[in-house]
């Protein structure tokens, strides 16, 4: 791509062009020898039509159907929700005939990362202690324990804000004007020393479930919490229970054993209705957990081959560049990981709408392909019955930045999974066991999706964003990948990797994909800490299997 290029055709079959820069009305741009006069302003990331369109004509992008014209249109007109309606090709099972050309992985062939080796052969990229409430009634107790442990053991990231509040308090007491106060706090005065050097964090899975809903809700939540307890990045677990809730402690313990019959981590259970007092419950939970922290602090990172990586790929706050820069670059990284024998997890089923057929055609196993079709159709039907639909997935921010239909958004989102064959299809909370690319049934909702990926075993998450989102996960380090340089500069406090160089013509998708894998190796080794981890951005939302797009 030339660094002076202003427009892009993503696929030779497309009948729309993407603006890589702001294009004013009346401008003439040239592509493949044809001049296009713009009928209106076309902001960067948006698309315009290459030909005159009649009402009902098919709109093609990424080489597939992504919409239909709502009215007659002149070439050079910007695509918008007013002139374009979502459309996608129907899909069906077809026998597997897919051929994949794996990328050259010579430079990564003998590489390793330093991770935490578990007894069952999995390797974690971090070493966490996890607090799990069986019911929302225990959230307050978790908050008390979090405040006590984080502040004393060096995991608190709010010290500088406490100091800012202290400055305001002193000004208020002295009668000074707080609005003009300098609240800058030098990072050197913020405590960063951790007591337990080999414990990367103490994490808390506060949630709103466990009782009051359906028994199915409690059963699904139990499987989710069990998957987190058994996660390769978790070394020990403390469970807090009320006692009378739908999700009984024994149900959770049974699900942990079902998830991993060889589960051998330290696990402590405290039930409030059997305790003498709130103070006794919290005190004993802290005492036992402290002893557990001493034990897991003895674990050390050791070299592991790259086939031990399990990476979830996710996008959120997407823009018109997501499917052109960050997602394809992450996709190339995904292909590298698969070629090295690792695992890649692609989820967000509402954001695979319009990309189904290509994924079905890439699915090796017939049963898995039919499972994907069943999950997609069931999910879509439930959305329609609720008065919604996958076509309503794009958010106002998505639309404003050029993602006009769900099929456009979905085909760009699917790029994160690369081009390798699909080896498995997993329902929510099912663990990934096969090397290669697996599809995981989750909503498109950022946190519900990342929550589900971690449950299936992701030990790192690559999260692309064009608009900027701080999303993280309690047990799975989440790496933020910006689609454009303006975002990376503006929100550098949450962005880890910038793929804007692809849009600017300075780097190829392949070069950026290799850089992303290099970052993943360093993050998996604890050599670099993703911004979401530094901020304790521990987002966790269980999916209740209702309609969530």
């Amino acid at each position: 791509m030339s660094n002076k290029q202003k427009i892009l055709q993503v696929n030779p079959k497309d009948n729309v062009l993407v603006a890589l820069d702001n294009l004013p009305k009346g401008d003439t741009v040239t592509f493949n020898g044809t001049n296009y006069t713009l009928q209106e302003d076309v902001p960067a990331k948006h698309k315009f039509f290459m030909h005159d369109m009649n009402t009902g004509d098919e709109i093609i992008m990424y080489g597939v159907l992504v919409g239909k014209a709502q009215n007659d249109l002149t070439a050079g007109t910007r695509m918008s929700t007013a002139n374009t309606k979502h459309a996608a090709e129907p899909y069906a099972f077809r026998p597997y005939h897919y051929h994949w050309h794996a990328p050259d992985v010579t430079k990564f062939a003998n590489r390793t990362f330093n991770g935490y080796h578990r007894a069952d052969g999995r390797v974690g990229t971090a070493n966490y202690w996890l607090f799990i409430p069986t019911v929302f009634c225990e959230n307050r107790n978790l908050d008390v324990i979090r405040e006590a442990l984080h502040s004393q053991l060096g995991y608190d990231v709010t010290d500088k804000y406490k100091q800012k509040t202290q400055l305001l308090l002193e000004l208020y007491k002295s009668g000074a004007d707080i609005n003009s106060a300098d609240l800058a706090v030098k990072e050197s005065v913020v405590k960063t020393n951790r007591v337990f050097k080999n414990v990367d964090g103490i994490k808390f899975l506060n949630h709103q479930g466990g009782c009051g809903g359906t028994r199915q809700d409690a059963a699904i939540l139990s499987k989710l919490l069990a998957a987190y307890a058994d996660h390769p990045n978790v070394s020990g677990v403390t469970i807090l229970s009320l006692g009378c809730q739908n999700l009984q402690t024994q149900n959770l313990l049974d699900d942990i054993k079902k998830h991993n019959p060889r589960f051998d981590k330290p696990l402590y259970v405290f039930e409030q209705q059997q305790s003498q007092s709130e103070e006794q419950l919290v005190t004993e939970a802290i005492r036992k957990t402290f002893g557990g922290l001493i034990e897991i602090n003895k674990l050390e990172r050791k070299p592991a081959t790259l086939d031990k990586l399990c990476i979830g790929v996710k996008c959120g706050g997407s823009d018109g560049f997501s499917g052109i820069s960050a997602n394809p670059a992450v996709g190339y990284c995904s292909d590298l990981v698969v070629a090295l024998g690792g695992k890649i997890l692609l989820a967000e089923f509402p954001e695979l709408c319009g990309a189904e057929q290509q994924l079905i055609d890439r699915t090796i196993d017939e049963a898995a392909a039919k499972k994907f079709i069943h999950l997609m159709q069931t999910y879509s039907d439930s959305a329609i019955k609720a008065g919604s639909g996958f076509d309503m997935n794009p958010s106002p921010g998505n639309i404003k930045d050029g993602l006009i239909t769900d099929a456009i958004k979905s085909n760009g989102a699917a790029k994160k999974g690369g081009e390798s064959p699909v080896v498995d299809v997993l329902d929510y909370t099912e663990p990934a066991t096969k090397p290669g690319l697996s599809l995981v049934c989750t909503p498109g909702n950022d946190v519900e999706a990342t929550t589900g990926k971690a449950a299936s075993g992701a030990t790192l998450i690559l999260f692309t964003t064009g608009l900027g989102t701080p999303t993280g996960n309690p047990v799975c380090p989440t790496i933020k990948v910006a689609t454009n340089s303006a975002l990376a500069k503006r929100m550098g406090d949450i962005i880890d990797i910038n793929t804007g160089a692809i849009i600017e013509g300075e780097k190829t998708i392949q070069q950026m994909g290799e850089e992303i894998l290099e970052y993943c190796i360093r993050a998996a080794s604890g050599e670099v800490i993703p911004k979401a981890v530094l901020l304790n951005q521990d987002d966790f939302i269980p999916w209740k299997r209702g309609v969530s797009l």
Side-chain angles (χ1 to χ4, degrees):
M1 182 189 302
S2 167
N3 57 12
K4 296 183 179 179
Q5 190 170 335
K6 292 184 178 181
I7 55 177
L8 173 70
Q9 185 183 41
V10 178
N11 185 286
K13 298 179 182 178
D14 294 356
N15 56 11
V16 296
L17 293 172
V18 183
L20 301 181
D21 203 349
N22 294 327
L23 305 176
K25 177 181 178 180
D27 243 21
T28 298
V29 293
T30 302
F31 181 77
N32 281 352
T34 301
N35 294 327
Y36 299 93
T37 301
L38 303 175
Q39 304 301 307
E40 54 189 304
D41 291 344
V42 181
K45 308 178 186 180
H46 283 257
K47 296 86 185 167
F48 64 89
F49 299 103
M50 298 174 67
H51 317 291
D52 293 343
M53 306 285 285
N54 297 318
T55 302
D57 280 356
E58 293 186 345
I59 300 169
I60 307 298
M61 187 176 174
Y62 297 108
V64 299
L65 176 67
V66 297
K68 292 188 176 181
Q70 291 274 67
N71 47 273
D72 294 349
L73 301 165
T74 303
T77 299
R78 176 171 66 94
M79 183 193 295
S80 68
T81 53
N83 60 35
T84 300
K85 183 179 181 180
H86 167 85
E89 293 285 359
Y91 56 91
F93 172 74
R94 298 191 298 209
Y96 181 78
H97 295 295
Y98 185 69
H99 298 285
W100 178 51
H101 299 287
D104 182 4
V105 292
T106 304
K107 68 172 65 176
F108 295 99
N110 297 315
R111 297 287 298 280
T112 60
F113 70 95
N114 288 321
Y116 292 96
H117 293 248
R118 306 306 180 187
D120 58 8
R122 293 179 297 168
V123 180
T125 63
N127 193 35
Y128 295 127
W129 189 279
L130 187 63
F131 276 82
I132 297 178
T134 58
V135 64
F136 55 80
C137 306
E138 293 302 312
N139 283 345
R140 179 267 177 193
N141 290 333
L142 258 70
D143 290 342
V144 170
I145 295 170
R146 176 194 288 113
E147 185 175 354
L149 292 178
H150 274 192
S151 61
Q152 293 299 313
L153 301 183
Y155 299 103
D156 194 351
V157 298
T158 61
D159 274 4
K160 63 182 176 183
Y161 298 111
K162 293 175 183 176
Q163 292 176 46
K164 292 174 190 286
T165 304
Q166 180 63 35
L167 287 172
L168 289 171
L169 178 60
E170 292 171 1
L171 290 169
Y172 171 71
K173 288 181 176 179
S174 67
D177 179 16
I178 66 169
N179 294 314
S180 58
D182 180 7
L183 297 182
V185 176
K186 294 181 180 179
E187 293 297 327
S188 60
V189 303
V190 178
K191 292 184 293 184
T192 57
N193 292 330
R194 292 179 176 175
V195 175
F196 300 112
K197 303 299 183 183
N198 293 330
V199 179
D200 296 302
I202 306 169
K203 302 298 182 176
F204 300 80
L205 297 187
N206 293 50
H207 59 80
Q208 302 304 314
C211 199
T214 66
R215 292 297 193 271
Q216 181 194 36
D217 289 342
I220 293 172
L221 176 63
S222 181
K223 288 181 173 61
L224 176 68
L225 297 177
Y228 271 67
D230 186 45
H231 195 279
N233 289 353
V234 173
S235 289
V237 183
T238 301
I239 297 173
L240 264 64
S241 169
L242 179 60
C244 59
Q245 70 279 346
N246 285 349
L247 175 48
Q248 289 288 292
T249 301
Q250 192 58 51
N251 298 139
L252 175 56
L253 296 176
D254 289 344
D255 279 334
I256 291 173
K257 281 297 183 183
K258 288 177 184 177
H259 197 272
N260 184 0
R262 298 172 58 189
F263 184 89
D264 61 352
K265 302 172 185 176
L267 185 149
Y268 309 130
V269 178
F270 300 90
E271 190 164 292
Q272 188 162 11
Q273 290 173 348
Q274 299 298 319
S275 66
Q276 298 172 11
S277 65
E278 175 270 350
E279 183 175 357
Q280 186 260 342
L281 174 83
V282 172
T283 300
E284 287 307 306
I286 291 175
R287 187 201 307 272
K288 289 291 289 184
T289 299
F290 196 93
L293 291 169
I294 293 173
E295 290 305 309
I296 71 168
N297 189 52
K298 297 174 183 177
L299 300 173
E300 295 182 354
R301 292 182 180 270
K302 296 179 181 178
T305 50
L306 299 188
D307 61 300
K308 296 298 185 180
L309 289 175
C310 183
I311 300 177
V313 292
K314 172 75 179 84
C315 54
S318 299
D319 70 352
F321 286 161
S322 291
I324 298 170
S325 58
N327 289 351
V330 165
Y332 189 75
C333 174
S334 296
D335 284 344
L336 291 171
V337 172
V338 170
L340 290 162
K343 300 184 183 77
I344 295 293
L345 308 182
L346 175 66
E348 307 172 88
F349 275 25
E351 296 184 11
L352 298 178
C353 175
E356 298 99 337
Q357 191 64 61
Q358 60 157 304
L359 292 169
I360 293 166
D361 292 344
R362 288 165 53 187
T363 303
I364 295 173
D365 181 68
E366 179 177 345
K370 291 181 175 178
K371 181 178 181 180
F372 174 63
I373 292 171
H374 171 72
L375 288 169
M376 284 293 290
Q377 290 179 341
T378 302
Y379 198 160
S380 177
D381 289 346
S382 68
I384 292 170
K385 288 178 182 177
S388 188
F390 286 171
D391 61 301
M392 299 180 72
N393 177 271
S395 70
N398 295 151
I399 295 168
K400 181 181 178 182
D401 263 46
L403 298 178
I404 304 302
T405 72
D406 188 54
I408 293 176
K409 182 178 180 180
S410 294
N411 279 280
K415 297 290 184 184
K416 302 189 303 293
E419 299 180 357
S420 71
V422 176
V423 297
D424 208 355
V425 175
L426 309 173
D427 202 353
Y428 186 64
T429 75
E430 286 186 331
T433 59
K434 298 179 180 180
L437 172 64
S438 293
L439 307 180
V440 184
C441 185
T442 75
N445 173 292
D446 291 352
V447 178
E448 287 176 324
T450 52
T451 298
K453 284 187 211 296
S456 287
T459 53
L460 290 175
I461 290 174
L462 286 169
F463 191 114
T464 69
T465 182
L467 304 177
T469 173
T471 304
N473 181 268
V475 304
C476 186
T478 302
I479 301 163
K480 292 300 170 27
V481 184
T483 71
N484 61 90
S485 298
L487 170 66
K489 182 178 180 179
R490 186 175 69 254
M491 300 183 72
D493 53 346
I494 67 168
I495 298 297
D496 300 296
I497 301 170
N498 175 27
T499 64
I502 295 173
I503 300 298
E504 293 146 15
E506 297 173 356
K507 291 182 182 178
T508 66
I509 288 170
Q510 292 75 19
Q511 287 172 328
M512 279 305 317
E514 290 184 352
E515 289 185 22
I516 292 170
L517 180 53
E518 290 285 359
Y519 187 98
C520 287
I521 294 170
R522 295 176 62 208
S525 302
E527 295 172 7
V528 61
I529 310 299
K531 304 292 177 56
V533 178
L534 289 173
L535 293 170
N536 276 352
Q537 185 78 37
D538 295 337
D539 301 309
F540 178 78
I541 301 180
W543 184 27
K544 296 175 68 175
R545 297 309 288 261
V547 177
S548 180
L549 298 179

